[in-house]
Amino acid sequence: MPVFGDVINGIKQSKWDFKESDLTEDQLRKVARESGAEGAREVLRTLGVDVDQPLEAQKDMHFLRDLRKGTLSVKGKIINTVIGALALAGLYRILSGLR
């Protein structure tokens, strides 16, 4: 199984045959920045996010967050209601048995 360094060295030799002095540090930063931005856009598109309208995507995420919080709130209230009903039924059985 190849080690990470071997993979990187293999890629560097096969795809990018240039010396370190061929690109300046600023050029390398620019290439890295552009590659990262392009990769992020591709991932977001794959996930179904419209990267051309970021405000709409933010609104969608806000809606989903509100929906999740609302669902959790309703779930908690339903659980509390069921527990309360069971406790009340148990208390009724106990008190009706004492009479």
Side-chain angles (χ1 to χ4, degrees):
M1 180 170 186
V3 181
F4 182 71
D6 296 337
V7 172
I8 296 298
N9 290 336
I11 290 172
K12 187 185 286 186
Q13 291 171 358
S14 65
K15 286 191 177 183
W16 301 302
D17 248 352
F18 58 85
K19 299 175 188 166
E20 288 183 30
S21 62
D22 288 347
L23 292 176
T24 65
E25 187 173 337
D26 289 337
Q27 289 171 327
L28 287 173
R29 286 181 193 274
K30 182 180 178 185
V31 168
R33 192 176 307 115
E34 289 173 359
S35 299
E38 183 179 334
R41 277 198 275 335
E42 175 115 4
V43 168
L44 290 172
R45 276 192 198 107
T46 302
L47 294 173
V49 176
D50 185 7
V51 294
D52 297 325
Q53 295 184 5
L55 293 178
E56 288 297 316
Q58 281 181 339
K59 289 177 186 177
D60 291 344
M61 294 300 158
H62 185 70
F63 171 78
L64 290 173
R65 182 184 312 121
D66 287 345
L67 182 64
R68 177 181 51 85
K69 286 182 177 182
T71 303
L72 288 175
S73 175
V74 169
K75 178 183 173 184
K77 289 176 184 173
I78 289 174
I79 289 173
N80 286 340
T81 302
V82 169
I83 290 172
L86 291 174
L88 189 59
L91 186 60
Y92 175 77
R93 293 280 283 184
I94 291 171
L95 292 177
S96 66
L98 293 177
R99 289 186 193 179

